[in-house]
Amino acid sequence: SMSGWIGTGAVFLSFLVSCFLFGKVVENGGSTDTLFYLIKTTDLSIPFAFQVDQLSGLFLLIITGIGTLIHLYSISYMHEEAPHHFARYFAYLNLFVFSMLLLVMGSGFVIMFIGWEGVGLCSYLLIGYWFSNPNYNYAARKAFVMNRIGDLGFLLAIFWIISKLGTTEYAGVIEGVAQLSSTDLTAITLLLFVGAMGKSAQIPLYTWLPDAMAGPTPVSALIHAATMVTAGIYMIARTNLLYTMAPFTQGVVAITGLLTALFAASIALKQNDIKKVLAYSTVSQLGYMFLGLGVGAYTGAVFHVMTHAFFKALLFLGAGSVIHAMHHEQDIRKMGGLRKHLPVTHLTFLIGCLAIAGIPPLSGFFSKDEILAAAFHANPVYYVLGLGGALMTAFYMFRLYTLTFLGEARYHSDPAHPVHESPAPMLLPLVVLAILSVAGGWIGIPEWMLSGGHRLEHFLAPIFAASGALAHEHAHLSVAQEWGMVGGATVAIVVVILLAIRSAGREKTDDQPASGLLANKWYVDELYDFAIVQPIRAFADLLKNVLEKNVIDGCVNGIGRLIHYGSRQMRLVQSGQV
């Protein structure tokens, strides 16, 4: 277990350093430090430089803070592993945190790309951590390949920027933005968004994330809820000026995000694996963040990244605690009544559910409300659909909660291994995250509720100032209308929660195979398999069996036969008598 403490200590030290840097940002604003040059020619210089400002400072705290808690949790969660596998796990986790820090601290697209690839690699290694199971390897490969599709878009955007501006530094790109035509802006932002779709699991590149639940639960919490999947949101927030100047792309981002939020939430309504529900929930929440970016609520999106990191990490770790207690059972139809046996897990999980459902005054309420308010200003249709997604969120989370913790026990209790509460190193992170899930939203209380509110917005203002100057002002609602919208939404959410608890209590929990569109995830995986995977396989078989064997081998062997035959005929001319 030494390796676990070393790994946790390293991330904790990073957290302390991040706090120190964050303090400096609060005092003096951002700073950039160049270490050396990766490429330096007359036309192009790419420095290896780190930029710590308001945006990256906030992300540093999220990554290292939640990273520390999840490392601590993992020491206890992974204790059954063989020592060398245990050490391999912590090595991967540390490499992941390293890559993620590189991604957010880089001062330009190239360093971001190095970190971007690094987190993709770690995701692959950690999803396939139990590599003796072929399904897990398949899931890891799927995540890696789908990320590569997105990365191609990101790379093309970098090349496009270099060809037009001759620099990849954010500062240089923002200064040179006037030299870009509207076509350039639209193309660059769309290509960057393709990269974000891969990493942040948006339609159509989202199917890898639910499969990524093959890895250990703390991995799901760290990578697929709190940090890596928010890289796409970080990238768009970082280049927000380009997006503000490309309204077409902003529309694409908003609509993609909204569709993803609704689509994934609808699938989550019918899933029965505790981690799959949370995975689709993550895809759905990422959709909300993109909706926020697309309607110009950049602060709201970053705020939601932060609050989502708290409550979703809490929910995943709570799920891990349940799985640990149930001896690696993940089917919620085989749980029930765990409230008595797991008091701390139950309470913290309930707080997480309330936070994600958006019950005031928990963290999820403020960030979701801010995104929905901005969506309302952009287009009331976005708001209505977004609210529908929020109601579905409340429903599937409380269905999950009811089937897991309430009602009668539906599992066979084994006297030798009773269901028991998790050990202290697993409960401490749960309690800390529960406190953050309650109080994490208070730095973003909107102005109309509390004068001088929204400390986060004032803090991030320098990052989004240029975008704010360009964006046209919306007509603001009166305070009474704001309260009315919030109150109405909250009442609707409470009603949906009560409905969910009632309907889940009556749900039949036998093990018949999934039927229906939602239980089968809208058949998207089958569609991809039919439309993309099978034709490529068939084409490969054609090359292997027909082209390779008959054409290429035929040519090679044919030339050999021809020479053989020809020389035999030529021999007859020579009789041996000179």
Side-chain angles (χ1 to χ4, degrees), residues 7 47 59 94 134 143 150 220 232 234 251 257 270 310 330 359-360 392 399 414 417 438 501 518 535:
F59 270 82
N94 270 191
S220 308
Y234 173 78
K270 287 282 184 208
F310 297 152
Q330 294 188 18
I359 296 291
M392 281 199 279
R399 171 180 176 265
D414 176 1
H417 301 285
V438 173
I501 292 174
L518 299 180

Side-chain angles (χ1 to χ4, degrees), residues 324-327 341-342 411-421:
H324 182 81
M326 299 291 296
H327 310 293
H341 304 292
L342 310 175
Y411 50 88
H412 305 296
S413 51
D414 176 1
H417 301 285
V419 173
H420 55 281
E421 183 62 284

Side-chain angles (χ1 to χ4, degrees), residues 116-202:
W116 193 265
E117 294 308 303
V119 292
L121 169 72
C122 293
S123 183
Y124 167 78
L125 293 171
L126 283 161
I127 294 166
Y129 169 77
W130 286 305
F131 53 77
S132 51
N133 181 333
N135 288 345
Y136 292 1
N137 286 335
Y138 174 76
R141 201 163 64 235
K142 181 170 176 179
F144 198 67
V145 170
M146 279 210 155
N147 270 302
R148 303 248 54 71
I149 299 169
D151 296 346
L152 179 63
F154 187 11
L155 265 179
L156 289 172
I158 295 177
F159 291 140
W160 199 307
I161 290 169
I162 289 175
S163 72
K164 292 290 183 217
L165 298 177
T167 176
T168 59
E169 295 298 283
Y170 304 132
V173 171
I174 285 167
E175 276 165 29
V177 87
Q179 300 166 32
L180 296 171
S181 68
S182 61
T183 317
D184 290 336
L185 277 167
T186 305
I188 289 169
T189 50
L190 277 174
L191 286 168
L192 284 174
F193 181 51
V194 170
M197 281 160 121
K199 193 64 81 200
S200 296
Q202 295 301 289

Side-chain angles (χ1 to χ4, degrees), residues 269-272 332-333 395 399-400 402-403 410 500-510:
L269 293 171
K270 287 282 184 208
Q271 298 302 307
N272 292 314
I332 54 176
R333 292 173 301 188
F395 190 91
R399 171 180 176 265
L400 174 69
T402 308
L403 287 176
R410 294 185 298 276
I501 292 174
R502 253 190 81 175
S503 80
R506 298 176 175 173
E507 204 168 305
K508 293 188 178 66
T509 49
D510 41 3

Side-chain angles (χ1 to χ4, degrees), residues 199-212:
K199 193 64 81 200
S200 296
Q202 295 301 289
I203 290 174
L205 300 178
Y206 71 93
T207 53
W208 66 270
L209 206 154
D211 289 20

Side-chain angles (χ1 to χ4, degrees), residues 38-112:
L38 289 170
I39 294 176
K40 198 166 170 88
T41 64
T42 47
D43 308 329
L44 177 65
S45 71
I46 297 178
F48 192 86
F50 290 136
Q51 171 179 356
V52 178
D53 58 12
Q54 289 83 353
L55 187 62
S56 52
L58 186 69
F59 270 82
L60 291 183
L61 286 184
I62 294 172
I63 293 160
T64 55
I66 291 186
T68 305
L69 292 173
I70 290 172
H71 275 69
L72 178 64
Y73 180 96
S74 297
I75 293 175
S76 187
Y77 188 83
M78 302 298 284
H79 68 88
E80 294 167 11
E81 297 291 313
H84 60 287
H85 285 315
F86 188 78
R88 175 169 66 95
Y89 171 83
F90 277 94
Y92 288 169
L93 266 194
N94 270 191
L95 182 63
F96 167 76
V97 173
F98 164 79
S99 306
M100 193 68 206
L101 293 175
L102 203 59
L103 191 158
V104 297
M105 283 171 72
S107 69
F109 288 106
V110 172
I111 302 177
M112 183 194 239

Side-chain angles (χ1 to χ4, degrees), residues 550-565:
N550 300 350
V551 183
I552 298 178
D553 283 3
C555 288
V556 174
N557 296 340
I559 291 170
R561 284 204 189 92
L562 198 71
I563 292 172
H564 192 212
Y565 176 77

